[in-house]
Amino acid sequence: MFNPQLNANGELQHLLSLDGLPREILTAILDTAAPFTEVAEREVKKLPILRGKSIFNLFFENSTRTRTTFEIAAKRLSADVINLNISTSSTNKGETLLDTVDNLCAMQADMFVVRHASSGAPYLMADHLRNTGRNDIHVINAGDGRHAHPTQGLLDMYTIRHFKHDFSNLVVAVVGDVLHSRVARSQIAALTTLGVPEVRVIGPKTLLPTGLDKMGCRVFHDMRAGLKDVDVVMMLRLQNERMNGPLLPSAQEFFKVWGLTAEKLALAKADAIVMHPGPMNRGVEIDSEVADGAQAVILPQVTFGIAVRMAVMSMLGRS
Amino acid sequence: MFNPQLNANGELQHLLSLDGLPREILTAILDTAAPFTEVAEREVKKLPILRGKSIFNLFFENSTRTRTTFEIAAKRLSADVINLNISTSSTNKGETLLDTVDNLCAMQADMFVVRHASSGAPYLMADHLRNTGRNDIHVINAGDGRHAHPTQGLLDMYTIRHFKHDFSNLVVAVVGDVLHSRVARSQIAALTTLGVPEVRVIGPKTLLPTGLDKMGCRVFHDMRAGLKDVDVVMMLRLQNERMNGPLLPSAQEFFKVWGLTAEKLALAKADAIVMHPGPMNRGVEIDSEVADGAQAVILPQVTFGIAVRMAVMSMLGRS
Amino acid sequence: MFNPQLNANGELQHLLSLDGLPREILTAILDTAAPFTEVAEREVKKLPILRGKSIFNLFFENSTRTRTTFEIAAKRLSADVINLNISTSSTNKGETLLDTVDNLCAMQADMFVVRHASSGAPYLMADHLRNTGRNDIHVINAGDGRHAHPTQGLLDMYTIRHFKHDFSNLVVAVVGDVLHSRVARSQIAALTTLGVPEVRVIGPKTLLPTGLDKMGCRVFHDMRAGLKDVDVVMMLRLQNERMNGPLLPSAQEFFKVWGLTAEKLALAKADAIVMHPGPMNRGVEIDSEVADGAQAVILPQVTFGIAVRMAVMSMLGRS
């Protein structure tokens, strides 16, 4: 069966989504990332792996934080990075997405890191590259609409493996606004693929999508019941635009019911870890006591995020 | 006679305009660009020619696309590139253009790539550098008002030479809104200097400047008559702000009369090439069938544009 | 006594303010900067001192000019520079300053260059780094509120030493809007520490802070009296937002009374030098005749500014 993310040899050609990515590829990325975590400890944090390659950060939607992580990862691999904030540029001039891609390819781009408000935009780019025979150019999805944010999902898996070593005996809970979260989609796909036996999804009915059971998740509308004896708590960010919106009473109300406090966390296993994709809304989806507490691995997630992005880029640069 | 673009030895000192540039210099730039097109094919797309040089992209007018091409060209020559979008910066603070230049020179700039809304701004900078004896600092005009866009003109010449080999027996048509186009001015100057025997300009009376005949052009107000038996069709971009403006009925009307369709293109020679400076307005000045057709060389133009900019920068870095 | 700018060995740990920095450190920075002024004269303006280090330009307040000087300095030391304009980014998303710092530290930042509208923000960051044991990460204040702009003060001291050789016999005047000037605070602190016997402050009562006498300054409200026989005139920039504000009649009135003209400058010593932190308001705080005259050392200030920033960065990179 055709997989748009793999090349003819079954190697990673584009990173578009964790949904549909074979377990061996997922594991290969995590394995490749491991030595990169040590690069950061060196005096000179640079490897020549992508020297002379041109990587374009195509941000059709502004995200300083995500753009920065990719920029650092690319520079540590010695690539040339060109940042394009396209929201105010060519698309204004009436150029289509694919014309922009064609132009940047003509400038001998090697890799595109794409953030786009429309779900599927990175797929469209990857299709176009394949249809026009440019198999030496790679696309990394840095977040498309509500669809996927695969490098976030990968760094989450790296973090879980780092602290829990083995996926095959874990209970993992994803908590919060799953409905609007591209991060949650990527997490659930990866957890399932990597063999986590129990993936729980916890949130209010208004903020959970339908079909979670078909994705193999157990759904909880009661946070305390859902957190019982879990190994990993993956909190989601509540988007500012949701607060005080029609689906929610208020940020304060949300915190009361769905915010992760020490008291609620005590229901999980004693050695449970707490994750968050950032940026955090302290006092909304997570209490500061937990965010800064001994079980939080939120900052290690960020560190592993650089290594995971270096891994993806180096694998694509090779294929 | 004094030429502000040349130094005392007759070498390129600044690239301000193709108008007034001797044929030998134009040809030398194209010749220098040729091997740079191969750099992009290498595993490591980098040469150490401008290592340690500081190149400032001074964009007083936003243009992600043009800025990107210069940034890539400079990075492939190993220069340090500093991007300055000045529209929202020092000029706000009341500093004059020449004070900004003086300050950046004091930071040991080696080269300025300048985009400015005012025609002549790069000349003003070049004059100021000469008057203050800073002959080791170079200016490249990346588009000034309606005046000139010399690197665009150069990449167009490179493209024509690449596909047609010889300028001395060509009929070349420039089509569209010549009146507002700095690109057209640069193209006509270069075509004439390089010995193209017949340069045609095709467009509605309201969008053609006066004096085209003195520049050696044949003027056509009928597109079909103008395209008859040409070797090269150079389409111009219709600026969005012109559409629906007082000079034009509508984008649809414009396309009907002045848009390049396969039917109109059939009047040109069978092996005619179609060029466009981008970004294209599909369905306005050019039909998608032509833009994506076999005669279009629009993407090679982009590729050659990087090589030509590398050539100009390397020549200036040497003089 | 604890000094937040020094480490346990008394070496520079953070550069937050010139107020409180020991004379030996100030002198060490100036001494370290000296050879860096020669780097700029070389063919390849690059040293490998910070190769592989990640320097983050954190600009919570826009300043293209200052950001550029730090970017150039860091690139000439071969560091990887990541520019973050945070005004429109994470803080929008509700993340706190310290969460942003923690995240960037988790990305293995080595150095932060910080511009912030709030006085004390860089101190807050330095405190946080110390409290969390991250002594290998350094903060450079690039201007915080009205408080300090230490690298500007340092380049001013470098300039004075370059032209006057010895601080111990100078009369130095700081002229203009001292009240709103973080530059003036840094200058006065450094001049005093370096042993300048007479520091004069000249300006209208409405634009001078109280307590200048306690800082060891002689206050003048008459510009001609204040300039009498000085060795160094340090003009301050009049912020645009002050002009026509309640504290001042008009820019023209200000110039008449407080603008530095050739006639007023004639009251200083014949070999007095004139300094300005830029960008200049010609015809407001300084006349063009003086700004472009033989006594002005305003452009050398800019050149020395790069060397001084390289010095600070290289010292921090070592400690």
Side-chain angles (χ1 to χ4, degrees):
Chain A
M1 204 191 92
F2 171 71
N3 188 325
Q5 305 196 75
L6 305 181
N7 68 15
N9 302 322
E11 297 163 326
L12 193 66
Q13 172 71 13
H14 304 290
L15 180 68
L16 306 174
S17 170
L18 300 188
D19 199 1
L21 215 56
R23 185 175 187 156
E24 312 79 64
I25 296 278
L26 276 179
T27 303
I29 296 170
L30 303 188
D31 292 347
T32 305
F36 289 135
T37 61
E38 285 153 36
V39 173
E41 308 296 316
R42 296 190 196 177
E43 193 59 19
V44 173
K45 290 188 288 242
K46 256 179 133 70
L47 295 169
I49 293 178
L50 296 183
R51 213 175 93 73
K53 302 282 187 192
S54 298
I55 298 188
F56 288 77
N57 277 330
L58 292 187
F59 278 63
F60 293 89
E61 195 180 65
N62 191 38
S63 172
T64 301
R65 187 196 182 89
T66 301
R67 195 258 301 157
T68 300
T69 59
F70 278 103
E71 184 174 346
I72 294 170
K75 285 183 170 170
R76 292 204 179 137
L77 295 171
S78 306
D80 284 333
V81 183
I82 293 109
N83 290 315
L84 297 178
N85 290 314
I86 320 238
S87 49
T88 52
S89 178
S90 297
T91 47
N92 273 11
K93 293 192 175 174
E95 197 181 50
T96 68
L97 172 62
L98 297 185
D99 274 338
T100 300
V101 168
D102 282 341
N103 268 281
L104 295 174
C105 288
M107 296 177 202
Q108 291 108 2
D110 293 289
M111 221 174 278
F112 294 114
V113 175
V114 189
R115 161 68 59 105
H116 204 289
S118 301
S119 301
Y123 277 85
L124 194 68
M125 289 172 62
D127 281 351
H128 183 62
L129 291 172
R130 189 173 36 253
N131 294 340
T132 50
R134 286 170 290 189
N135 296 319
D136 50 340
I137 307 180
H138 308 279
V139 177
I140 300 175
N141 183 355
D144 64 325
R146 293 187 192 173
H147 173 249
H149 192 355
T151 57
Q152 176 70 43
L154 285 167
L155 74 89
D156 291 334
M157 297 309 110
Y158 190 98
T159 306
I160 293 174
R161 193 171 83 164
H162 178 86
F163 288 103
K164 295 294 172 191
H165 311 298
D166 185 7
F167 292 101
S168 71
N169 52 6
L170 297 180
V171 182
V172 177
V174 178
V175 186
D177 177 7
V178 176
L179 182 63
H180 302 100
S181 175
R182 50 190 169 207
V183 172
R185 272 167 189 63
S186 291
Q187 289 168 336
I188 295 168
L191 290 166
T192 309
T193 305
L194 290 168
V196 169
E198 185 171 341
V199 180
R200 299 181 185 178
V201 172
I202 309 175
K205 284 180 190 170
T206 51
L207 293 181
L208 296 189
T210 55
L212 283 167
D213 46 348
K214 279 176 206 146
M215 294 166 76
C217 301
R218 282 187 67 191
V219 176
F220 291 81
H221 298 303
D222 175 329
M223 193 163 172
R224 287 184 174 78
L227 288 179
K228 189 90 179 69
D229 295 328
V230 301
D231 297 283
V232 178
V233 187
M234 306 179 87
M235 299 305 299
L236 296 174
R237 174 178 165 73
L238 186 67
Q239 305 291 329
N240 286 345
E241 58 270 29
R242 312 291 168 215
M243 299 186 203
N244 306 314
L247 302 177
L248 287 173
S250 74
Q252 290 72 23
E253 275 300 298
F254 184 88
F255 179 68
K256 210 171 146 188
V257 184
W258 302 105
L260 186 64
T261 57
E263 176 257 325
K264 288 181 198 142
L265 179 58
L267 297 164
K269 284 198 188 145
D271 64 350
I273 55 172
V274 174
M275 298 167 66
H276 190 292
M280 290 187 283
N281 296 300
R282 291 165 177 269
V284 181
E285 71 265 2
I286 191 164
D287 192 36
S288 276
E289 189 186 352
V290 174
D292 302 328
Q295 289 173 266
V297 297
I298 297 167
L299 292 176
Q301 283 180 275
V302 176
T303 303
F304 297 148
I306 304 291
V308 159
R309 289 177 177 111
M310 289 172 75
V312 171
M313 286 177 170
S314 70
M315 287 169 72
L316 293 177
R318 208 185 296 146
S319 74
Chain B
M1 206 190 94
F2 171 71
N3 188 326
Q5 305 196 75
L6 305 182
N7 68 15
N9 302 323
E11 297 163 328
L12 194 67
Q13 173 70 15
H14 305 290
L15 180 67
L16 306 175
S17 168
L18 300 189
D19 199 1
L21 216 55
R23 184 173 187 160
E24 312 80 65
I25 297 277
L26 277 178
T27 304
I29 296 171
L30 303 187
D31 292 346
T32 305
F36 289 135
T37 61
E38 284 152 37
V39 173
E41 307 296 316
R42 296 189 197 176
E43 194 58 19
V44 175
K45 288 187 290 241
K46 256 179 134 69
L47 295 169
I49 293 177
L50 295 183
R51 213 174 93 73
K53 301 283 186 189
S54 299
I55 298 188
F56 288 77
N57 277 331
L58 293 186
F59 278 62
F60 294 88
E61 193 181 67
N62 189 39
S63 172
T64 301
R65 185 197 182 91
T66 300
R67 196 261 297 157
T68 300
T69 58
F70 278 102
E71 185 174 345
I72 295 170
K75 285 183 169 170
R76 293 204 178 136
L77 294 172
S78 305
D80 285 334
V81 182
I82 294 108
N83 289 316
L84 297 177
N85 289 316
I86 319 235
S87 48
T88 52
S89 177
S90 299
T91 46
N92 273 11
K93 293 192 175 173
E95 196 180 49
T96 68
L97 171 62
L98 297 185
D99 275 338
T100 299
V101 168
D102 282 341
N103 269 280
L104 296 174
C105 288
M107 296 176 200
Q108 290 106 2
D110 293 289
M111 223 175 277
F112 294 114
V113 175
V114 189
R115 162 69 60 108
H116 205 288
S118 301
S119 301
Y123 277 85
L124 194 67
M125 291 172 63
D127 280 351
H128 182 63
L129 292 172
R130 189 172 36 251
N131 293 340
T132 50
R134 287 171 289 189
N135 295 320
D136 50 339
I137 307 179
H138 307 279
V139 177
I140 300 176
N141 182 357
D144 63 325
R146 293 188 192 174
H147 174 251
H149 193 354
T151 57
Q152 177 69 43
L154 284 167
L155 73 88
D156 291 332
M157 296 310 110
Y158 191 97
T159 306
I160 293 174
R161 194 172 81 165
H162 179 85
F163 287 103
K164 295 295 171 188
H165 310 299
D166 185 8
F167 292 101
S168 71
N169 52 6
L170 297 179
V171 182
V172 178
V174 178
V175 185
D177 178 6
V178 175
L179 182 63
H180 303 100
S181 175
R182 50 192 170 205
V183 172
R185 273 167 190 63
S186 291
Q187 289 168 336
I188 293 168
L191 290 166
T192 308
T193 305
L194 290 168
V196 169
E198 186 171 341
V199 179
R200 298 181 185 179
V201 172
I202 308 176
K205 284 180 190 171
T206 51
L207 294 181
L208 296 190
T210 54
L212 284 168
D213 46 347
K214 278 176 206 146
M215 295 167 76
C217 302
R218 282 185 67 188
V219 177
F220 290 82
H221 298 303
D222 175 329
M223 192 165 174
R224 287 183 174 80
L227 289 178
K228 190 87 178 68
D229 294 327
V230 301
D231 296 282
V232 178
V233 187
M234 307 179 87
M235 298 306 299
L236 296 174
R237 174 177 163 74
L238 187 67
Q239 306 290 330
N240 286 345
E241 59 268 31
R242 312 291 168 214
M243 299 185 203
N244 305 316
L247 302 179
L248 286 174
S250 75
Q252 290 72 25
E253 274 300 299
F254 185 87
F255 178 67
K256 208 170 145 192
V257 183
W258 302 105
L260 186 65
T261 58
E263 176 257 327
K264 286 181 200 142
L265 179 58
L267 297 164
K269 285 201 187 140
D271 64 350
I273 56 173
V274 174
M275 299 167 66
H276 190 292
M280 288 186 285
N281 296 299
R282 291 165 177 269
V284 180
E285 72 265 2
I286 191 164
D287 194 35
S288 276
E289 190 186 353
V290 174
D292 302 328
Q295 288 173 268
V297 297
I298 297 167
L299 293 175
Q301 283 180 276
V302 176
T303 304
F304 297 148
I306 304 291
V308 158
R309 288 176 177 111
M310 290 172 76
V312 171
M313 286 177 169
S314 70
M315 286 169 72
L316 292 177
R318 208 185 296 144
S319 75
Chain C
M1 207 190 91
F2 171 70
N3 188 327
Q5 305 196 74
L6 304 182
N7 68 15
N9 302 323
E11 297 162 326
L12 193 66
Q13 173 70 14
H14 303 290
L15 180 68
L16 305 174
S17 168
L18 300 189
D19 199 2
L21 215 55
R23 185 175 186 157
E24 312 79 66
I25 297 278
L26 277 179
T27 304
I29 297 170
L30 304 188
D31 292 347
T32 305
F36 289 136
T37 60
E38 284 152 38
V39 173
E41 307 296 316
R42 294 189 197 177
E43 194 57 20
V44 174
K45 290 187 290 242
K46 256 179 133 70
L47 294 168
I49 293 177
L50 295 182
R51 213 175 92 74
K53 301 284 186 191
S54 299
I55 298 187
F56 288 76
N57 277 331
L58 293 186
F59 278 62
F60 294 88
E61 194 181 65
N62 190 39
S63 172
T64 300
R65 186 197 182 88
T66 300
R67 196 259 298 154
T68 300
T69 58
F70 278 103
E71 184 174 347
I72 294 171
K75 285 183 169 169
R76 293 207 178 134
L77 294 170
S78 305
D80 284 335
V81 182
I82 294 106
N83 290 315
L84 297 177
N85 289 315
I86 319 236
S87 49
T88 53
S89 177
S90 298
T91 47
N92 273 11
K93 293 191 175 175
E95 195 180 50
T96 68
L97 172 62
L98 297 185
D99 274 339
T100 300
V101 169
D102 282 342
N103 269 280
L104 296 174
C105 288
M107 296 176 201
Q108 291 107 2
D110 294 289
M111 222 174 276
F112 294 115
V113 176
V114 190
R115 161 70 60 105
H116 205 288
S118 301
S119 300
Y123 277 86
L124 195 68
M125 291 172 63
D127 280 352
H128 182 64
L129 291 173
R130 189 173 35 254
N131 294 340
T132 51
R134 287 171 288 190
N135 296 319
D136 50 339
I137 306 179
H138 307 279
V139 177
I140 299 176
N141 183 355
D144 64 324
R146 292 188 193 174
H147 173 249
H149 193 353
T151 56
Q152 177 70 44
L154 284 167
L155 74 88
D156 291 333
M157 296 309 111
Y158 191 96
T159 306
I160 294 174
R161 193 172 82 164
H162 178 86
F163 287 103
K164 295 293 171 190
H165 312 298
D166 186 7
F167 292 101
S168 70
N169 52 6
L170 296 180
V171 182
V172 178
V174 178
V175 185
D177 178 7
V178 175
L179 181 64
H180 302 100
S181 176
R182 50 191 171 206
V183 172
R185 272 167 190 61
S186 291
Q187 289 168 336
I188 294 167
L191 290 166
T192 309
T193 305
L194 290 169
V196 170
E198 186 171 341
V199 180
R200 299 182 185 177
V201 172
I202 307 175
K205 283 180 191 171
T206 50
L207 294 181
L208 296 190
T210 55
L212 284 168
D213 46 348
K214 279 176 206 146
M215 295 167 76
C217 302
R218 282 185 67 189
V219 177
F220 290 81
H221 297 304
D222 175 328
M223 192 165 174
R224 286 184 175 81
L227 289 179
K228 189 87 179 72
D229 295 327
V230 301
D231 297 283
V232 178
V233 186
M234 306 179 87
M235 299 306 300
L236 296 174
R237 174 177 164 75
L238 186 69
Q239 306 290 330
N240 286 345
E241 58 269 32
R242 311 294 168 213
M243 298 185 203
N244 306 315
L247 303 178
L248 286 174
S250 75
Q252 290 71 24
E253 274 301 296
F254 185 87
F255 178 68
K256 210 171 145 189
V257 184
W258 302 106
L260 186 64
T261 57
E263 176 257 326
K264 287 182 200 142
L265 179 57
L267 296 164
K269 283 200 188 142
D271 64 349
I273 56 172
V274 174
M275 299 167 67
H276 189 291
M280 290 186 282
N281 296 299
R282 291 166 176 268
V284 181
E285 72 265 4
I286 191 165
D287 193 35
S288 276
E289 189 186 353
V290 174
D292 303 327
Q295 288 172 269
V297 298
I298 297 166
L299 293 174
Q301 283 180 276
V302 176
T303 303
F304 297 147
I306 303 292
V308 159
R309 289 175 177 112
M310 289 172 76
V312 171
M313 287 177 168
S314 70
M315 287 169 71
L316 293 177
R318 207 186 297 146
S319 78

